[in-house]
Amino acid sequence: RARRRATMGFSFLPVMEYLSRRAFHAARLCPHTVTLPRDPGEGSGARTIHYWAPPGEPRLPPLLLIHGFGPMATWQWRRQVGPFSRRFHVVVPDLLCFGGSSPSPSSPAPSESAQAAALAALLDALPGLPATARVAVAGTSYGGFVAYSLARAAGPGRVGPVVISNSDLLKTAEDDRAFLQRAGGEWASMAELLMPLDARSARRLMELSFYRRQVTSMLPDFLIREGVQKLFSDKREEKIELMKAIIIGTDEFQLTPLEQDVLLIWGDHDQIFPLDKAFAVKRCLGENVRLEIFKETGHVPQMEDPDRFNEVVLDFLLASQKSPNQHDQ
């Protein structure tokens, strides 16, 4: 009881948010919000995208970082924005239904294609970014689905090299069932585990997401419970509907090769999307795909091994700039 009273005034969320925002500000990224044009046939209300980017017009090549189905974009890309911003005009959006971004209240839960269309509209709205500028794109986990959709829809004239990290673009309902079995078979749905509201589920999710034990997993139950309830209560129903709206494997989302150069990254101990799926995804993405396997990492190598992740991604992006493909000629 004394220990609990001593920690009653502590919450790890403000600490994590402070560290993340400090990294973004140090990279000279500022928060922005843009209202997107209304789609034909869309009902009342407006779509808004919150994003981080440097102030003013781009002076460096643009790079879009797309977060996964985790708590915050700033947490997921905290270790990347500094190194990347030295060579790129880095843009980090909140996807629709996440953070400060919201879909139209009258619209259904956005699919990956709808998320990609919103990001394409964001690129069109960025101050000073020419309509002819090619944008490099990197997505992690769910963000990889969106990155693929954006690259395919926009084409190589608009989207340049693509980085996809730990994204099972061939995911099926059977894969979801297998994941729940790996988790212990005690959760009835993906939403219960991927958006936990109790300490036990949160600890299990951390074990499945990371190869290395996280400091936050050693916090007392009541602190973890307080944290995840704050993190995963925001837009919870919308995110559950979004999860149900994933269209992988349907006629609308058939995995076909991309014309762009693709860097596929995978942690060798990923328990959410196991490593064997990386080879299947690589075979389907075409001839321009390079696979990098990160040893002793789980589902989020950009967080567990940020130095190597940054080095590999920067080498790939800079090499793609120096060796333009036929679409640049």
Side-chain angles (χ1 to χ4, degrees), residues 8 44 52 55 77 105 113-114 118 123 189 220 229 270:
M8 281 295 288
S44 60
W52 290 79
W77 295 116
S113 298
L123 295 177
S189 69
Q229 286 175 350
D270 189 347

Side-chain angles (χ1 to χ4, degrees), residues 63-279:
L63 169 61
L64 187 67
L65 301 180
I66 308 175
H67 66 82
F69 218 94
M72 297 178 186
T74 49
W75 288 24
Q76 295 178 47
W77 295 116
R78 175 171 68 92
R79 302 292 294 274
Q80 282 66 54
V81 289
F84 289 0
S85 64
R86 300 186 189 108
R87 304 301 294 268
F88 292 91
H89 183 88
V90 174
V91 180
V92 187
D94 291 333
L95 292 171
L96 297 175
C97 298
F98 292 85
S101 299
S102 299
S104 168
S106 58
S107 298
S111 64
E112 291 80 14
S113 298
Q115 296 277 15
L119 294 185
L122 168 64
L123 295 177
D124 292 339
L126 287 178
L129 183 66
T132 57
R134 296 182 77 228
V135 180
V137 176
T140 179
S141 190
Y142 176 71
F145 297 116
V146 180
Y148 170 81
S149 296
L150 177 60
R152 192 176 72 169
R158 185 56 161 165
V159 172
V162 182
V163 179
I164 296 174
S165 178
N166 291 74
S167 303
D168 181 7
L169 301 179
L170 295 168
K171 186 177 75 68
T172 64
E174 179 58 36
D175 290 314
D176 289 348
R177 288 190 287 271
F179 167 64
L180 292 175
Q181 286 299 312
R182 287 195 298 275
E186 302 176 28
W187 288 270
S189 69
M190 297 284 285
E192 287 184 22
L193 191 51
L194 295 181
M195 295 188 296
L197 291 178
D198 60 81
R200 185 170 178 276
S201 297
R203 290 184 194 278
R204 187 64 182 129
L205 179 59
M206 283 187 275
E207 292 169 355
L208 292 165
S209 300
F210 294 89
Y211 174 70
R212 300 158 191 167
R213 190 177 185 187
Q214 299 299 294
V215 173
T216 49
S217 69
M218 294 180 275
L219 292 172
D221 280 357
F222 76 95
L223 281 180
I224 293 180
R225 182 170 57 251
E226 173 193 327
V228 297
Q229 286 175 350
K230 289 180 179 178
L231 285 173
F232 294 104
S233 294
D234 181 48
K235 303 184 181 72
R236 183 174 181 83
E237 294 305 317
E238 292 91 335
K239 290 176 183 175
I240 290 175
E241 291 304 312
L242 184 152
M243 197 175 294
K244 293 177 181 177
I246 291 178
I247 52 177
I248 308 302
T250 68
D251 290 339
E252 188 175 351
F253 196 112
Q254 291 294 331
L255 190 61
T256 56
L258 291 177
E259 297 180 63
Q260 296 93 335
D261 290 336
V262 178
L263 172 62
L264 188 61
I265 292 176
W266 222 281
D268 66 343
H269 285 77
D270 189 347
Q271 298 186 71
I272 295 180
F273 297 144
L275 179 60
D276 63 322
K277 300 306 291 285
F279 301 100

Side-chain angles (χ1 to χ4, degrees), residues 313-327:
V313 170
L314 282 172
D315 285 349
F316 166 75
L317 295 178
L318 295 175
S320 295
Q321 284 184 330
K322 295 175 182 178
S323 304
N325 62 28
Q326 59 184 345
H327 305 283

